Amino acid sequence: MKLTSGFFLLVFLLLSMTCCLAAGITLVTEENPPFNYTESGKPTGATTAVVREITRRLGIAGDIQVMPWTRGYKLLSSEPNVVLFTTALTQKREPLFQWVGPLYTVRLGFYARKSDARRIDSLEAAKQVGAIATYKDDFREQLLTSLGFTNLDSSKSPQSNLRKLMSGRVDLWFYDNIGPYQVAREVGIDPNEIEEVFTYQQHFSYIAISKQTSPVIVQQWQATLDEMKADGTFWWLTRKWLPPEAIMVSERQTSTDRPFPLKLYTEDSPPSSYKEKGQIKGLSTEIVQEILRRIGQPDTISLVPWARGYKLVQSDAGTALFSTTRLPQREALFSWVGPLYRQRWGFYRWKGSGIDVPDIEAAKKVDRIGTYHQDAKMQYLQALGFENLVPTNKNISNVTHLKKGNIDLWVSSDFNVPYLADQAGVSAYQLELAFAFHRVGNYIAFSKATSPHVIRLWQAVLDEMKADGSYQRICRTYNYEPQ
């Protein structure tokens, strides 16, 4: 009986928790660029993007409501399951709500028109000016009120604050070091016409959740944010709006704090990847390096023999290999991001050799076909039943072997042939395409143990590069026309 009652109690608790977690969440923010603001009728901004990703990962549905800060703050104070962002964590507010973060470190200060000769060097001096623009019921206004300021001119938006400053209706504007320049652009004012004249202090921005909300929900939000910081998504989402020094990727912010590093492997296969004057270069290398830069990860690319890299990515977690041809027999072995580029495979002969291969079956009857050991082309042909393959650990050796007649054909691609021929000291015109047999795409292959969030992030960044033109610029450097 005790066992039965205990079982039902456990079921009841699990159902209660499920109902609690499934309860509707009210997402609330304000007009506070660049953290959260409306653009073309839709909420956007750094924290808006972060909250959207958290809710996506947690499977939470619901629109973000943009409303005046006082109204959102009242909801947060009185209703359960309310999420308000971006919210400064202050000593006064800390016991009132539950907190998810930190998100950013922000510096508070007083701003003035550059054309205004008025300058201050202390809080006491600020108290003596005629009027200071503040955002109504915002924590910055609350802070100055608690410090004894009686010369505050309260407005319903930061945009109104700035307009008052520029028209001379107030002497100073109390705001942070990130928002003013975005606000200035929104209201059509040159950001260079304002400047920070006195810095007060630094604070940390968080996501605030109402006190009545289940702690389990808050823990889920914090765990998801931590996960986003670890896999690089948090950095990528916020760096579009904020300077690097403001983004809190850890509780203990340092200049070296970044998402976890991946071990990245590539091979000597120009123009995709190759080493020149001690540096790894190439089309795929530059694409990967730009992805790393955008998500704030260090460059950990190593150039290794293909077979070694291929083995490492199958056995070690947190590794990736590029550029890797995506084939049916490889599909389940890796997680894929791409394509980086596309190519056509074929059998190449020495010009004038007279070797005729009109189809795949004819190629099977040739005595010796040079291949690169365990690369995609070799694996593909082996799967088709080829038994006349002669592998080498250096693909460039195949060019020399073809020239000397040590092999009859060489399996390569239109992407690699000109570069490998040049490296071997051979004119590409001496090589003829005898028969093209396959078109493929080359990708970044991640170890199967890699978080799916990392895969999604890398694909999103690559897609972003293709959309903004940076991918095409890299391709033009290597005379590659994206297909």
Side-chain angles (χ1 to χ4, degrees):
M1 183 68 183
K2 288 184 179 179
L3 181 61
T4 304
S5 60
F7 171 78
F8 282 113
L9 177 61
L10 177 61
V11 171
F12 172 76
L13 290 173
L14 289 173
L15 288 173
S16 299
M17 181 178 293
T18 303
C19 291
C20 179
L21 296 182
I25 297 290
T26 303
L27 305 171
V28 180
T29 191
E30 59 169 332
E31 293 287 348
N32 183 21
F35 305 106
N36 15 268
Y37 61 99
T38 304
E39 186 174 83
S40 302
K42 295 182 179 180
T44 187
T47 317
T48 303
V50 170
V51 168
R52 281 203 175 108
E53 178 63 13
I54 291 174
T55 56
R56 186 196 70 80
R57 293 190 184 192
L58 292 177
I60 297 172
D63 296 329
I64 295 172
Q65 302 178 46
V66 181
M67 60 182 66
W69 176 255
T70 49
R71 184 180 162 200
Y73 194 80
K74 185 177 180 181
L75 274 175
L76 181 70
S77 304
S78 60
E79 300 291 334
N81 300 329
V82 175
V83 174
L84 178 65
F85 61 93
T86 309
T87 310
L89 176 60
T90 65
Q91 188 173 3
K92 180 181 178 181
R93 289 176 175 175
E94 186 167 6
L96 301 178
F97 312 114
Q98 302 182 77
W99 301 91
V100 172
L103 303 176
Y104 327 112
T105 174
V106 181
R107 190 178 70 245
L108 301 180
F110 294 88
Y111 288 79
R113 291 171 294 170
K114 271 193 177 178
S115 58
D116 191 345
R118 185 187 304 275
R119 293 293 180 269
I120 60 172
D121 56 7
S122 66
L123 287 179
E124 290 306 312
K127 291 178 180 180
Q128 304 307 313
V129 305
I132 300 173
T134 55
Y135 183 16
K136 184 173 176 59
D137 291 333
D138 172 68
F139 86 99
R140 286 161 287 224
E141 182 177 88
Q142 295 172 354
L143 174 63
L144 293 187
T145 300
S146 71
L147 293 172
F149 278 75
T150 58
N151 57 344
L152 305 183
D153 187 312
S154 185
S155 296
K156 292 184 178 180
S157 72
Q159 290 80 2
S160 296
N161 291 156
L162 181 54
R163 289 190 185 99
K164 286 181 179 180
L165 179 69
M166 299 310 295
S167 65
R169 286 181 286 168
V170 297
D171 303 288
L172 297 172
W173 175 28
F174 189 58
Y175 212 61
D176 59 60
N177 63 311
I178 298 173
Y181 306 103
Q182 175 76 23
V183 174
R185 285 189 287 270
E186 284 189 0
V187 299
I189 294 172
D190 183 354
N192 294 317
E193 292 184 20
I194 60 174
E195 64 178 332
E196 185 179 8
V197 294
F198 179 68
T199 301
Y200 171 58
Q201 69 174 20
Q202 181 173 279
H203 79 273
F204 299 101
S205 296
Y206 280 71
I207 298 168
I209 301 181
S210 52
K211 195 74 172 179
Q212 305 95 313
T213 305
S214 165
V216 176
I217 292 177
V218 180
Q219 290 165 9
Q220 284 188 329
W221 276 65
Q222 185 65 59
T224 305
L225 176 64
D226 293 343
E227 178 185 65
M228 288 166 58
K229 289 182 176 184
D231 64 36
T233 305
F234 177 74
W235 175 270
W236 176 65
L237 289 173
T238 54
R239 57 90 192 163
K240 300 176 184 179
W241 284 278
L242 304 173
E245 62 271 14
I247 302 170
M248 294 289 293
V249 293
S250 71
E251 292 278 358
R252 178 188 55 82
Q253 181 79 358
T254 72
S255 59
T256 57
D257 282 337
R258 291 293 183 272
F260 76 96
L262 285 163
K263 295 178 182 177
L264 297 157
Y265 299 109
T266 190
E267 61 171 330
D268 185 8
S269 180
S272 175
S273 299
Y274 58 94
K275 186 168 282 189
E276 183 177 279
K277 296 180 180 179
Q279 292 187 326
I280 302 174
K281 297 184 177 182
L283 171 65
S284 298
T285 300
E286 287 199 28
I287 294 171
V288 170
Q289 286 171 335
E290 178 61 14
I291 295 174
L292 291 170
R293 187 192 69 79
R294 294 190 182 204
I295 63 177
Q297 287 188 323
D299 183 340
T300 56
I301 300 172
S302 298
L303 194 145
V304 298
W306 175 256
R308 179 184 166 197
Y310 191 76
K311 182 178 180 181
L312 285 169
V313 177
Q314 290 183 74
S315 61
D316 295 356
T319 56
L321 177 68
F322 68 92
S323 63
T324 308
T325 307
R326 191 169 183 172
L327 298 173
Q329 61 265 39
R330 291 177 171 178
E331 187 67 29
L333 299 178
F334 309 106
S335 295
W336 302 88
V337 170
L340 300 179
Y341 60 88
R342 299 186 186 278
Q343 57 180 321
R344 181 185 62 184
W345 289 351
F347 297 108
Y348 287 81
R349 64 191 173 206
W350 191 256
K351 191 172 185 178
S353 67
I355 297 174
D356 185 28
V357 280
D359 53 38
I360 283 286
E361 291 305 314
K364 288 181 180 180
K365 299 174 183 178
V366 172
D367 287 339
R368 299 156 300 176
I369 299 177
T371 62
Y372 185 22
H373 182 58
Q374 286 306 312
D375 82 336
K377 294 177 285 296
M378 179 175 174
Q379 293 177 359
Y380 181 83
L381 294 178
Q382 284 177 326
L384 292 179
F386 275 73
E387 297 179 351
N388 54 348
L389 305 180
V390 181
T392 178
N393 286 325
K394 286 189 176 182
N395 205 9
I396 191 175
S397 300
N398 282 308
V399 182
T400 305
H401 292 324
L402 194 64
K403 180 181 179 180
K404 293 181 177 179
N406 296 332
I407 56 177
D408 304 293
L409 296 172
W410 169 39
V411 181
S412 192
S413 75
D414 56 349
F415 186 74
N416 298 104
V417 164
Y419 292 87
L420 289 169
D422 182 66
Q423 281 193 340
V426 170
S427 169
Y429 295 106
Q430 291 296 107
L431 304 173
E432 291 181 327
L433 176 64
F435 178 69
F437 60 87
H438 199 41
R439 286 189 176 274
V440 294
N442 279 58
Y443 289 68
I444 306 169
F446 285 81
S447 57
K448 202 65 179 175
T450 304
S451 164
H453 299 304
V454 172
I455 306 305
R456 184 175 182 271
L457 170 64
W458 277 63
Q459 187 64 60
V461 179
L462 177 59
D463 293 344
E464 177 187 73
M465 290 171 58
K466 291 181 177 181
D468 66 27
S470 55
Y471 168 81
Q472 289 79 2
R473 285 193 293 273
I474 294 172
C475 290
R476 284 195 294 270
T477 302
Y478 294 91
N479 297 314
Y480 171 71
E481 186 65 35
Q483 300 171 24

